[in-house]
Short mmCIF file of all heavy atoms in Angstrom, two decimals:
data_model
loop_
_atom_site.label_atom_id
_atom_site.label_comp_id
_atom_site.label_asym_id
_atom_site.label_seq_id
_atom_site.Cartn_x
_atom_site.Cartn_y
_atom_site.Cartn_z
N ALA A 552 102.47 94.25 99.03
CA ALA A 552 103.81 94.73 98.68
C ALA A 552 103.76 96.13 98.07
O ALA A 552 104.74 96.88 98.15
CB ALA A 552 104.47 93.75 97.71
N GLN A 553 102.64 96.47 97.46
CA GLN A 553 102.47 97.80 96.87
C GLN A 553 101.93 98.82 97.88
O GLN A 553 101.66 99.97 97.53
CB GLN A 553 101.54 97.73 95.66
CG GLN A 553 102.12 96.91 94.51
CD GLN A 553 101.17 96.84 93.32
OE1 GLN A 553 100.60 97.84 92.90
NE2 GLN A 553 100.98 95.64 92.78
N GLY A 554 101.74 98.37 99.12
CA GLY A 554 101.29 99.28 100.17
C GLY A 554 99.81 99.55 100.18
O GLY A 554 99.36 100.51 100.82
N VAL A 555 99.03 98.71 99.51
CA VAL A 555 97.57 98.89 99.47
C VAL A 555 96.95 98.31 100.74
O VAL A 555 97.21 97.15 101.09
CB VAL A 555 96.96 98.21 98.23
CG1 VAL A 555 95.44 98.37 98.23
CG2 VAL A 555 97.55 98.80 96.96
N ARG A 556 96.13 99.10 101.42
CA ARG A 556 95.41 98.56 102.58
C ARG A 556 94.33 97.60 102.11
O ARG A 556 93.61 97.88 101.14
CB ARG A 556 94.75 99.69 103.38
CG ARG A 556 95.68 100.42 104.30
CD ARG A 556 94.91 101.28 105.27
NE ARG A 556 94.14 102.33 104.61
CZ ARG A 556 93.25 103.11 105.24
NH1 ARG A 556 93.00 102.94 106.52
NH2 ARG A 556 92.62 104.06 104.57
N GLN A 557 94.21 96.47 102.81
CA GLN A 557 93.21 95.47 102.47
C GLN A 557 92.50 95.01 103.73
O GLN A 557 93.10 94.91 104.81
CB GLN A 557 93.87 94.25 101.81
CG GLN A 557 94.65 94.57 100.55
CD GLN A 557 95.32 93.33 100.00
OE1 GLN A 557 94.70 92.51 99.30
NE2 GLN A 557 96.61 93.19 100.28
N SER A 558 91.21 94.70 103.58
CA SER A 558 90.45 94.15 104.69
C SER A 558 89.32 93.30 104.12
O SER A 558 89.31 92.99 102.93
CB SER A 558 89.92 95.25 105.60
OG SER A 558 89.42 94.68 106.82
N VAL A 559 88.39 92.92 104.98
CA VAL A 559 87.30 92.02 104.58
C VAL A 559 85.94 92.63 104.85
O VAL A 559 85.76 93.42 105.79
CB VAL A 559 87.40 90.65 105.29
CG1 VAL A 559 88.65 89.91 104.86
CG2 VAL A 559 87.36 90.80 106.80
N VAL A 560 85.00 92.29 104.01
CA VAL A 560 83.58 92.58 104.23
C VAL A 560 82.87 91.25 104.04
O VAL A 560 82.84 90.70 102.94
CB VAL A 560 83.05 93.62 103.22
CG1 VAL A 560 81.53 93.70 103.29
CG2 VAL A 560 83.66 94.99 103.52
N THR A 561 82.35 90.71 105.13
CA THR A 561 81.88 89.33 105.10
C THR A 561 80.64 89.12 105.94
O THR A 561 80.45 89.80 106.96
CB THR A 561 83.00 88.38 105.60
OG1 THR A 561 82.50 87.03 105.70
CG2 THR A 561 83.51 88.79 106.98
N GLY A 562 79.82 88.18 105.54
CA GLY A 562 78.66 87.79 106.31
C GLY A 562 79.00 86.89 107.47
O GLY A 562 78.14 86.56 108.30
N ASN A 563 80.27 86.47 107.58
CA ASN A 563 80.73 85.68 108.71
C ASN A 563 80.74 86.51 109.99
O ASN A 563 80.97 87.72 109.95
CB ASN A 563 82.17 85.20 108.47
CG ASN A 563 82.27 84.06 107.49
OD1 ASN A 563 82.18 82.91 107.87
ND2 ASN A 563 82.48 84.38 106.23
N ILE A 564 80.55 85.86 111.13
CA ILE A 564 80.84 86.54 112.38
C ILE A 564 82.36 86.74 112.46
O ILE A 564 83.13 86.03 111.83
CB ILE A 564 80.34 85.73 113.60
CG1 ILE A 564 81.04 84.38 113.69
CG2 ILE A 564 78.83 85.58 113.58
CD1 ILE A 564 80.91 83.71 115.02
N ARG A 565 82.78 87.72 113.22
CA ARG A 565 84.20 88.08 113.21
C ARG A 565 85.10 86.93 113.67
O ARG A 565 86.15 86.69 113.07
CB ARG A 565 84.43 89.32 114.09
CG ARG A 565 85.88 89.75 114.10
CD ARG A 565 86.09 91.13 114.63
NE ARG A 565 87.49 91.51 114.53
CZ ARG A 565 87.93 92.76 114.64
NH1 ARG A 565 87.08 93.74 114.84
NH2 ARG A 565 89.22 93.02 114.56
N ALA A 566 84.73 86.24 114.73
CA ALA A 566 85.59 85.19 115.26
C ALA A 566 85.81 84.09 114.22
O ALA A 566 86.93 83.58 114.06
CB ALA A 566 85.00 84.60 116.53
N ALA A 567 84.76 83.70 113.50
CA ALA A 567 84.89 82.67 112.46
C ALA A 567 85.76 83.17 111.33
O ALA A 567 86.61 82.44 110.79
CB ALA A 567 83.52 82.27 111.95
N ALA A 568 85.57 84.43 110.93
CA ALA A 568 86.38 85.01 109.85
C ALA A 568 87.86 84.99 110.23
O ALA A 568 88.72 84.64 109.41
CB ALA A 568 85.92 86.43 109.56
N GLU A 569 88.16 85.37 111.46
CA GLU A 569 89.55 85.41 111.91
C GLU A 569 90.19 84.02 111.88
O GLU A 569 91.35 83.88 111.45
CB GLU A 569 89.63 86.01 113.31
CG GLU A 569 89.31 87.50 113.34
CD GLU A 569 89.25 88.07 114.74
OE1 GLU A 569 89.19 87.27 115.71
OE2 GLU A 569 89.24 89.30 114.88
N VAL A 570 89.44 83.02 112.31
CA VAL A 570 89.98 81.65 112.28
C VAL A 570 90.25 81.22 110.84
O VAL A 570 91.32 80.68 110.53
CB VAL A 570 89.01 80.67 112.97
CG1 VAL A 570 89.43 79.22 112.71
CG2 VAL A 570 88.95 80.94 114.47
N LYS A 571 89.29 81.44 109.96
CA LYS A 571 89.44 81.02 108.56
C LYS A 571 90.66 81.68 107.92
O LYS A 571 91.46 81.02 107.24
CB LYS A 571 88.18 81.37 107.77
CG LYS A 571 86.96 80.56 108.15
CD LYS A 571 85.75 81.01 107.33
CE LYS A 571 84.50 80.24 107.66
NZ LYS A 571 83.34 80.66 106.85
N LEU A 572 90.80 82.96 108.10
CA LEU A 572 91.90 83.68 107.48
C LEU A 572 93.25 83.24 108.04
O LEU A 572 94.23 83.10 107.31
CB LEU A 572 91.71 85.19 107.66
CG LEU A 572 90.51 85.78 106.91
CD1 LEU A 572 90.23 87.19 107.41
CD2 LEU A 572 90.73 85.76 105.41
N THR A 573 93.29 82.99 109.34
CA THR A 573 94.54 82.55 109.96
C THR A 573 94.91 81.14 109.52
O THR A 573 96.08 80.86 109.21
CB THR A 573 94.40 82.60 111.50
OG1 THR A 573 94.12 83.94 111.90
CG2 THR A 573 95.68 82.13 112.18
N VAL A 574 93.93 80.24 109.48
CA VAL A 574 94.17 78.85 109.10
C VAL A 574 94.81 78.75 107.73
O VAL A 574 95.73 77.94 107.51
CB VAL A 574 92.84 78.05 109.14
CG1 VAL A 574 92.92 76.81 108.29
CG2 VAL A 574 92.50 77.67 110.58
N PHE A 575 94.38 79.60 106.80
CA PHE A 575 94.91 79.52 105.45
C PHE A 575 95.99 80.55 105.16
O PHE A 575 96.38 80.77 104.01
CB PHE A 575 93.76 79.63 104.44
CG PHE A 575 92.75 78.53 104.59
CD1 PHE A 575 91.43 78.81 104.88
CD2 PHE A 575 93.13 77.20 104.49
CE1 PHE A 575 90.50 77.79 105.04
CE2 PHE A 575 92.22 76.17 104.65
CZ PHE A 575 90.90 76.46 104.93
N GLY A 576 96.51 81.20 106.21
CA GLY A 576 97.65 82.09 106.08
C GLY A 576 97.39 83.39 105.36
O GLY A 576 98.33 84.03 104.86
N LEU A 577 96.13 83.82 105.32
CA LEU A 577 95.79 85.05 104.60
C LEU A 577 95.71 86.27 105.53
O LEU A 577 95.66 87.40 105.06
CB LEU A 577 94.46 84.88 103.87
CG LEU A 577 94.36 83.68 102.91
CD1 LEU A 577 92.99 83.62 102.26
CD2 LEU A 577 95.46 83.73 101.86
N ASP A 578 95.68 86.03 106.82
CA ASP A 578 95.50 87.11 107.79
C ASP A 578 96.62 88.14 107.74
O ASP A 578 96.41 89.31 108.03
CB ASP A 578 95.37 86.53 109.20
CG ASP A 578 96.59 85.70 109.60
OD1 ASP A 578 97.02 84.84 108.79
OD2 ASP A 578 97.10 85.88 110.72
N ARG A 579 97.82 87.72 107.36
CA ARG A 579 98.97 88.62 107.41
C ARG A 579 98.85 89.80 106.45
O ARG A 579 99.52 90.81 106.60
CB ARG A 579 100.25 87.83 107.07
CG ARG A 579 100.36 87.41 105.62
CD ARG A 579 101.45 86.40 105.38
NE ARG A 579 101.07 85.08 105.86
CZ ARG A 579 101.82 83.99 105.71
NH1 ARG A 579 102.98 84.08 105.09
NH2 ARG A 579 101.41 82.83 106.17
N TYR A 580 97.97 89.67 105.45
CA TYR A 580 97.83 90.71 104.44
C TYR A 580 96.64 91.65 104.70
O TYR A 580 96.45 92.61 103.97
CB TYR A 580 97.63 90.08 103.06
CG TYR A 580 98.69 89.06 102.70
CD1 TYR A 580 98.35 87.71 102.53
CD2 TYR A 580 100.02 89.43 102.55
CE1 TYR A 580 99.32 86.77 102.21
CE2 TYR A 580 100.99 88.50 102.23
CZ TYR A 580 100.63 87.16 102.06
OH TYR A 580 101.59 86.22 101.74
N LEU A 581 95.86 91.34 105.72
CA LEU A 581 94.57 92.01 105.89
C LEU A 581 94.48 92.78 107.19
O LEU A 581 94.84 92.26 108.26
CB LEU A 581 93.44 90.98 105.83
CG LEU A 581 93.32 90.24 104.50
CD1 LEU A 581 92.53 88.94 104.68
CD2 LEU A 581 92.64 91.13 103.47
N ARG A 582 93.98 94.00 107.11
CA ARG A 582 93.74 94.83 108.30
C ARG A 582 92.35 94.49 108.82
O ARG A 582 91.37 95.19 108.55
CB ARG A 582 93.83 96.30 107.92
CG ARG A 582 95.20 96.74 107.40
CD ARG A 582 96.12 97.11 108.54
NE ARG A 582 95.55 98.20 109.32
CZ ARG A 582 95.68 99.49 109.00
NH1 ARG A 582 96.34 99.85 107.92
NH2 ARG A 582 95.14 100.42 109.77
N GLN A 583 92.28 93.42 109.58
CA GLN A 583 90.96 92.92 109.98
C GLN A 583 90.22 93.89 110.91
O GLN A 583 88.98 93.87 110.96
CB GLN A 583 91.11 91.55 110.65
CG GLN A 583 91.62 90.48 109.68
CD GLN A 583 91.77 89.13 110.35
OE1 GLN A 583 90.80 88.53 110.78
NE2 GLN A 583 93.00 88.64 110.43
N GLU A 584 90.95 94.74 111.59
CA GLU A 584 90.31 95.67 112.52
C GLU A 584 89.45 96.72 111.80
O GLU A 584 88.57 97.33 112.43
CB GLU A 584 91.35 96.36 113.41
CG GLU A 584 92.23 97.38 112.72
CD GLU A 584 93.41 96.77 111.96
OE1 GLU A 584 93.49 95.54 111.86
OE2 GLU A 584 94.25 97.57 111.47
N ILE A 585 89.69 96.95 110.52
CA ILE A 585 88.86 97.91 109.79
C ILE A 585 87.82 97.21 108.93
O ILE A 585 87.10 97.86 108.16
CB ILE A 585 89.71 98.87 108.93
CG1 ILE A 585 90.52 98.11 107.87
CG2 ILE A 585 90.61 99.72 109.81
CD1 ILE A 585 91.25 99.03 106.91
N GLY A 586 87.73 95.90 109.04
CA GLY A 586 86.77 95.15 108.26
C GLY A 586 85.36 95.25 108.84
O GLY A 586 85.11 95.92 109.83
N SER A 587 84.45 94.53 108.19
CA SER A 587 83.06 94.53 108.62
C SER A 587 82.52 93.11 108.59
O SER A 587 82.80 92.36 107.64
CB SER A 587 82.24 95.44 107.70
OG SER A 587 80.93 95.62 108.18
N TYR A 588 81.75 92.75 109.61
CA TYR A 588 81.36 91.36 109.84
C TYR A 588 79.86 91.27 110.12
O TYR A 588 79.16 92.28 110.18
CB TYR A 588 82.17 90.80 111.01
CG TYR A 588 83.66 91.01 110.84
CD1 TYR A 588 84.27 92.19 111.26
CD2 TYR A 588 84.44 90.04 110.20
CE1 TYR A 588 85.63 92.39 111.08
CE2 TYR A 588 85.80 90.25 110.02
CZ TYR A 588 86.39 91.42 110.46
OH TYR A 588 87.74 91.62 110.25
N ALA A 589 79.38 90.05 110.33
CA ALA A 589 77.94 89.83 110.55
C ALA A 589 77.40 90.63 111.72
O ALA A 589 76.23 91.00 111.74
CB ALA A 589 77.67 88.34 110.75
N GLU A 590 78.25 90.87 112.71
CA GLU A 590 77.81 91.66 113.87
C GLU A 590 77.51 93.11 113.50
O GLU A 590 76.86 93.83 114.26
CB GLU A 590 78.89 91.64 114.96
CG GLU A 590 79.11 90.29 115.61
CD GLU A 590 80.20 89.47 114.92
OE1 GLU A 590 80.48 89.71 113.72
OE2 GLU A 590 80.77 88.58 115.58
N ASP A 591 77.99 93.55 112.33
CA ASP A 591 77.93 94.98 111.98
C ASP A 591 76.76 95.36 111.08
O ASP A 591 76.59 96.55 110.77
CB ASP A 591 79.23 95.39 111.28
CG ASP A 591 80.44 95.17 112.18
OD1 ASP A 591 80.37 95.55 113.35
OD2 ASP A 591 81.45 94.61 111.70
N GLY A 592 75.96 94.40 110.63
CA GLY A 592 74.85 94.76 109.76
C GLY A 592 74.19 93.56 109.14
O GLY A 592 74.58 92.41 109.40
N GLU A 593 73.21 93.82 108.29
CA GLU A 593 72.42 92.74 107.71
C GLU A 593 72.66 92.51 106.23
O GLU A 593 72.36 91.44 105.73
CB GLU A 593 70.93 93.01 107.94
CG GLU A 593 70.54 93.01 109.41
CD GLU A 593 69.09 92.63 109.64
OE1 GLU A 593 68.35 92.50 108.65
OE2 GLU A 593 68.71 92.43 110.80
N ASP A 594 73.15 93.51 105.50
CA ASP A 594 73.37 93.29 104.07
C ASP A 594 74.72 93.87 103.66
O ASP A 594 75.38 94.58 104.42
CB ASP A 594 72.23 93.88 103.24
CG ASP A 594 72.07 95.38 103.43
OD1 ASP A 594 73.08 96.10 103.59
OD2 ASP A 594 70.92 95.85 103.43
N ARG A 595 75.12 93.58 102.43
CA ARG A 595 76.44 93.98 101.96
C ARG A 595 76.61 95.50 101.91
O ARG A 595 77.69 96.01 102.22
CB ARG A 595 76.71 93.38 100.58
CG ARG A 595 77.05 91.90 100.59
CD ARG A 595 78.33 91.64 101.39
NE ARG A 595 78.74 90.25 101.30
CZ ARG A 595 78.29 89.26 102.06
NH1 ARG A 595 77.38 89.52 102.98
NH2 ARG A 595 78.72 88.02 101.91
N ALA A 596 75.56 96.22 101.53
CA ALA A 596 75.68 97.67 101.47
C ALA A 596 75.99 98.25 102.85
O ALA A 596 76.86 99.12 103.00
CB ALA A 596 74.41 98.28 100.89
N GLU A 597 75.30 97.76 103.85
CA GLU A 597 75.52 98.23 105.22
C GLU A 597 76.92 97.87 105.69
O GLU A 597 77.62 98.69 106.31
CB GLU A 597 74.47 97.63 106.15
CG GLU A 597 74.47 98.19 107.55
CD GLU A 597 73.35 97.64 108.42
OE1 GLU A 597 72.54 96.83 107.92
OE2 GLU A 597 73.29 98.05 109.59
N LEU A 598 77.35 96.65 105.39
CA LEU A 598 78.68 96.21 105.80
C LEU A 598 79.77 97.00 105.08
O LEU A 598 80.78 97.38 105.68
CB LEU A 598 78.85 94.72 105.54
CG LEU A 598 77.93 93.77 106.31
CD1 LEU A 598 78.25 92.32 105.97
CD2 LEU A 598 78.04 94.00 107.82
N LEU A 599 79.57 97.24 103.80
CA LEU A 599 80.55 98.03 103.04
C LEU A 599 80.66 99.44 103.60
O LEU A 599 81.77 99.98 103.76
CB LEU A 599 80.18 98.06 101.56
CG LEU A 599 80.59 96.84 100.74
CD1 LEU A 599 79.85 96.81 99.41
CD2 LEU A 599 82.10 96.84 100.51
#
C-alpha cells in the first residue's frame, strides 16, 4: 500500500515458490519476476 516493491530470495526452485505463495494468497504483493530462486545460485549472497 505504501508503494514498496517486494520480492523473494529463496532456496526453493521457482515453480515451488510460486505455488506456495499463490496457495497462501501472498503472491499478489510480490514481484516474483525480479526475485531469485534455487536455479539462480548456491548461497544467499549469490541469490541476493
Side-chain angles (χ1 to χ4, degrees):
Q553 295 179 46
V555 178
R556 280 193 297 171
Q557 302 177 81
S558 192
V559 295
V560 169
T561 174
N563 284 273
I564 62 163
R565 181 165 184 165
E569 290 174 346
V570 169
K571 292 178 180 181
L572 293 167
T573 300
V574 158
F575 300 120
L577 305 180
D578 58 313
R579 71 192 75 176
Y580 308 115
L581 297 160
R582 297 275 300 277
Q583 294 180 65
E584 71 278 7
I585 61 174
S587 188
Y588 308 87
E590 293 92 336
D591 300 314
E593 296 207 352
D594 60 37
R595 284 299 186 275
E597 188 176 359
L598 297 181
L599 278 165

